[in-house]
Amino acid sequence: MDEKFLYKLVKGETFRIVSQDGSANELDPGLPEDLLLKMYRLMVQARTYDEKALKLQRGGRMGTYPPIAGQEAIQIGSALAMAEEDWMVPSYREIGAMIAKGVPMQTLYMLWMGNDYGNRTPDNVRCLPIAIPVGSQALHATGMGWAARLKKEKLAITCYFGDGATSRGDFHEAMNFAGVYHVPVVFICSNNQFAISTPNPLQTRAETFAQKGIAYGIPSYRLDGMDVLASYVIVKDLLDRARNGEGPAFIEAICYRFGPHTTSDNPDLYRSKGEVEKIRKETDPIDRFRNYLVNKGLWDIDKETRLHDEMDALIDKAAKEAEQAPAPEFEELFKHVFAEEPQFLKEEYEYYKRVSGGK
Ligand SMILES: Cc1ncc(C[n+]2csc(CCOP(=O)(O)OP(=O)(O)O)c2C)c(N)n1
């Protein structure tokens, strides 16, 4: 990446390439058409997955679900920036990034339907299961990065979490050791403005979340996380650097969560519908990138209709397959934690088998 792509640190401008009307600034790298179309396709796919998940939950066919609408650009841009050998360490809200990394949608629906096989990613897709304990995954990513360094493996890692996670001890421990051990991790803080009902000003007195990375000696940047092109460009550059031994980076991806925190949340209690509608109209990442493609003559209404029809069919199929997928056998509850099963776990297994009849 040449010098013009050097981002302004922390308090400076937010890194952005495409504006809401689809116009691009001089930082547009002129990516190949097929990559641009793939970005758009994946964003629409993630949005369609999301909308279907909400319907399934409302219809009693799925458990609690954390919607991603508004966060597609940072998720898809960063995932497409990864090399195949790179590892992804997601939070529970990274369904779009996981789809782009190659985790099947059927698997991701199974997860929210309570089928534990939904936590099993294909062997060739380097993606950890989602982390529900807020911020815990930052430690896993730092540990993995440290291991990769010790083993001299040439790979990088993306680690995702929200603004709220930066208040947890796990985050600070992870950042400290990431800096000290110079691990190849790009930490992506999706600042969607809220941690459930807690808005940014109640989360921190720090002026930006990015400066929390600076505190640990980690190069840190602010990014317009609703700009897929900017997300791709900055994450790709930082992953390449990490893979080449230049250490960790931290990104505050500024975005907005359009939906509720999860399907159990009522956002009308802490923000107005009017505010959400206004922000959505002004910042929707999918509208923005569609405008960009239309401006370039790469997109039109027929293509849009065909894409939506295709996605609806794909997603219905994935949801049906997830509902029909076999659930784990009883024994699976006791596997996959220890390489060698300890005595107490053997005893617990025998006990549960006896009292439950294996069900
Ligand atoms: C250790 C821990 N404490 C509390 C919770 C309950 N909880 C789930 S999500 C959440 C808010 C997280 O907000 P943020 O990190 O900003 O991520 P977002 O949900 O906005 O993506 C909380 C407190 C949890 N899952 N884990």
Side-chain angles (χ1 to χ4, degrees):
M1 175 174 288
D2 78 39
E3 284 303 301
K4 73 178 177 175
F5 286 115
L6 283 179
Y7 333 109
K8 318 256 179 355
L9 270 176
V10 185
K11 284 193 180 177
E13 280 169 46
T14 299
F15 184 68
R16 173 187 296 146
I17 296 177
V18 182
S19 300
Q20 198 61 22
D21 64 3
S23 59
N25 62 25
E26 73 285 0
L27 300 175
D28 187 339
L31 296 178
E33 270 180 41
D34 55 346
L35 179 55
L36 297 175
L37 294 173
K38 190 173 177 186
M39 280 178 183
Y40 184 67
R41 182 185 164 84
L42 280 164
M43 283 206 287
V44 172
Q45 185 170 344
R47 178 75 57 94
T48 319
Y49 172 101
D50 208 49
E51 286 167 354
K52 177 81 179 176
L54 285 169
K55 282 187 202 143
L56 289 169
Q57 195 277 338
R58 298 293 185 232
R61 291 162 67 193
M62 211 176 76
T64 304
Y65 172 74
I68 67 161
Q71 300 183 215
E72 293 89 349
I74 178 58
Q75 294 200 15
I76 304 301
S78 60
L80 286 181
M82 296 173 76
E84 211 176 323
E85 66 270 23
D86 294 344
W87 277 92
M88 176 177 284
V89 182
S91 89
Y92 46 83
R93 208 183 295 285
E94 259 65 55
I95 295 307
M98 293 171 85
I99 290 173
K101 181 71 172 149
V103 181
M105 289 192 294
Q106 174 195 346
T107 307
L108 293 166
Y109 277 132
M110 283 161 63
L111 176 65
W112 301 110
M113 287 173 178
N115 185 336
D116 200 44
Y117 281 156
N119 276 312
R120 211 169 46 177
T121 53
D123 288 345
N124 62 341
V125 179
R126 292 189 153 188
C127 182
L128 251 52
I130 62 162
I132 301 273
V134 170
S136 57
Q137 70 276 24
L139 286 167
H140 306 157
T142 295
M144 287 164 71
W146 189 9
R149 278 206 71 200
L150 293 173
K151 290 162 83 178
K152 300 198 181 341
E153 285 178 3
K154 207 167 179 224
L155 57 83
I157 296 160
T158 52
C159 174
Y160 301 81
F161 44 81
D163 38 287
T166 68
S167 299
R168 293 217 56 236
D170 290 8
F171 163 81
H172 293 278
E173 292 162 30
M175 295 300 281
N176 187 52
F177 281 111
V180 170
Y181 292 114
H182 211 57
V183 299
V185 181
V186 176
F187 295 95
I188 300 174
C189 172
S190 294
N191 177 6
N192 64 7
Q193 311 302 318
F194 298 94
I196 313 186
S197 55
T198 304
N200 280 181
L202 294 181
Q203 191 65 248
T204 182
R205 274 285 174 110
E207 206 171 315
T208 71
F209 285 88
Q211 70 202 59
K212 298 192 184 198
I214 296 287
Y216 293 104
I218 297 177
S220 303
Y221 309 96
R222 296 190 95 201
L223 161 74
D224 182 339
M226 296 172 107
D227 178 353
V228 68
L229 212 50
S231 301
Y232 174 87
V233 165
I234 191 169
V235 176
K236 183 159 190 336
D237 184 46
L238 296 174
L239 284 171
D240 288 347
R241 291 187 204 190
R243 227 178 285 111
N244 288 328
E246 291 181 50
F250 181 91
I251 294 173
E252 176 186 350
I254 300 160
C255 46
Y256 192 89
R257 159 165 63 72
F258 295 151
H261 168 72
T262 66
T263 44
S264 310
D265 174 41
N266 176 7
D268 297 346
L269 296 175
Y270 54 86
R271 63 185 194 187
S272 75
K273 276 201 176 75
E275 171 193 319
V276 179
E277 270 160 33
K278 183 170 181 296
I279 293 175
R280 189 168 189 150
K281 213 168 147 210
E282 289 169 0
T283 65
D284 190 310
I286 296 185
D287 291 349
R288 185 188 306 198
F289 199 54
R290 187 189 315 107
N291 290 341
Y292 172 82
L293 294 177
V294 170
N295 288 354
K296 280 178 97 70
L298 295 175
W299 203 249
D300 58 37
I301 187 76
D302 289 343
K303 287 182 180 157
E304 181 78 8
T305 310
R306 277 203 301 277
L307 179 62
H308 280 274
D309 289 347
E310 188 196 338
M311 285 305 155
D312 286 345
L314 265 181
I315 271 138
D316 280 348
K317 184 166 172 282
K320 275 201 193 89
E321 284 172 359
E323 282 183 310
Q324 288 159 7
E329 294 296 322
F330 168 75
E331 281 74 12
E332 297 267 332
L333 272 174
F334 295 86
K335 291 183 185 166
H336 314 302
V337 176
F338 297 94
E340 279 172 42
E341 203 178 27
Q343 185 56 28
F344 79 86
L345 204 58
K346 280 190 191 140
E347 287 168 15
E348 271 187 23
Y349 171 60
E350 289 306 326
Y351 172 77
Y352 281 112
K353 208 159 89 170
R354 209 171 52 245
V355 298
S356 69
K359 297 216 170 61

